[in-house]
Amino acid sequence: MTIDLSMPGSSGLLDAVEGKKHMNFFSNRYVLALTGAAGIGGFLFGYDTGVISGALLYVRDDFPAVRDNYFLQETIVSMALVGAMIGAAGGGWINDTYGRRNSTLVADMLFALGSLVMCAAGGPYILILGRLLVGLGVGIASVTAPVYIAEAAPSEIRGGLVSTNVLMITGGQFFSYLINLGFTEVPGTWRWMLGVAAVPAILQFVLMLFLPESPRWLFWKDQKAKAISVLEKIYDSDRLEEELELLASSSMHEFQSDGTGSYLDIFKSKELRLAFFAGAGLQAFQQFTGINTVMYYSPTIVQMAGFTSNKLALLLSLIVAGMNAAGTIVGIYLIDRCGRRRLALTSLAGVVISLVILAMAFILQSSSDLCSSTLSGGCQGALGWFAVVGLALYIAFFSPGMGPVPWAVNSEIYPEAYRGMCGGMSATVNWVSNLIVAQTFLSIVGLVGTGPTFLIIAGIAVLAFIFVALYVPETKGLSFEQVELMWKERAWGNQGNYQGLLTSAP
């Protein structure tokens, strides 16, 4: 698709885009520092995702009511997702009203409080309360961190910097498995696993007190002097002038003349509907293609594959989490080179193949025709390792593409006045999808078996491939203003004057 930047009122925008000087990933330490501090929110997100899978093995041992109750186990896992869903839904409004920085501070307080409640829990229901509080913090952070990073990032490296937040998520998962493994022989194992999460939340809270608000949010809120002081630390004088021209153009062309927006506007405006459909669809398919099934339940899946030792299950899960982090580094390198769309399509193709391999491993394992009673030990052991290889291949394909791409795309496809709200809504879709998967996976496995369950997920991955091919445009290297114009062209073609559409849209 060709983006027409020559419509009336956009000549300055075109000049600024053509004259833009490019910046490489490591050229500005200030941007990297902002990214790293904001990314602690991603680390908290990832740590909570990973730590509960190991802690659950020991919670079952401590609380007999949990041991044989799949629903209670799923509720302990998924209550954090309920909180995250609520946090993400409200987090978009908090972001747009009070700023990205203040939203991060609120998320940190909730996460630290929830971690301490879980650590001190005397029963499964207090543990569930702590999971809810942690989830609220994670939900707000999941909206805030990508937007905060994207709004400070130069467009040519925005994808890689936002993907760094995803690296922090996968790094948090990897660290959680290290913690799980390290505390296997310590009294009160699961309490240490869950309680230590308060430390990074407190660290981020302190760091954010010394960091600025997002320059784009400041500019949008008419705090231009503060915005310029932040932008001066990111760009040289020539590029600063270009960026300010882009910001001024964007401010003149906002959907609402008073610089505010409402949730209703998202569904009344055609271009916003298209953007939200693409962003929310990516978030939904990220979950329904099985990633957090693998991360939440990887120790359990490994045990299903025939490895009954808790410690061995955690060790193998640590390897899977390490591959997830390593694959995300590959994604950071590729996302601003290959583009978001191509990376997602390649990733999904590999996910389908690896899920079929994983499914076949479990189907063959349960087949009495292939594993007779006299050979079942050796045969099942080989197929168990085959299942673990399938998990590793799944992570190798998923992590560079469908891991970072949904978060990167959602941080850049919405106008400033709606970025928090739309980002929050799409993150809510992610968490709702996550909740459905977490709450139903073990039950579906019990109903139809592990192999058929993974075949169902493979079928969903095929649908995801078709969705990305049809509805997700390429945004590599585009400024926020260019992306906004692209959606207008997709919504309205070459009809009329975009200037009029911008001023008349609800």
Side-chain angles (χ1 to χ4, degrees), residues 349-362:
V351 162
V352 172
I353 294 169
S354 57
L355 283 170
V356 170
I357 293 172
L358 184 60
M360 293 308 298
F362 282 101

Side-chain angles (χ1 to χ4, degrees), residues 110-120 130 133-134 191 194-199 201:
L110 287 168
F111 198 97
L113 178 61
S115 298
L116 296 176
V117 169
M118 288 190 297
C119 180
L133 292 171
V134 163
R191 297 184 188 277
L194 300 176
V196 76
V199 175

Side-chain angles (χ1 to χ4, degrees), residues 11 14 35 51 72 98 115 126 128 178 182 272 279 283 285 308 331 333 360 372 404 422 427:
S11 59
L14 178 62
T35 301
V51 77
L72 197 54
Y98 299 105
S115 298
I126 299 299
I128 288 170
L178 282 177
L272 275 175
Q283 294 283 33
F285 278 120
T308 56
Y333 177 80
M360 293 308 298
S372 67
C422 288

Side-chain angles (χ1 to χ4, degrees), residues 47 51 174-184 192-193 196:
Y47 183 85
V51 77
F174 180 76
F175 183 75
S176 74
Y177 285 117
L178 282 177
I179 291 292
N180 287 350
L181 197 60
F183 284 115
T184 53
W192 284 101
M193 291 175 177
V196 76

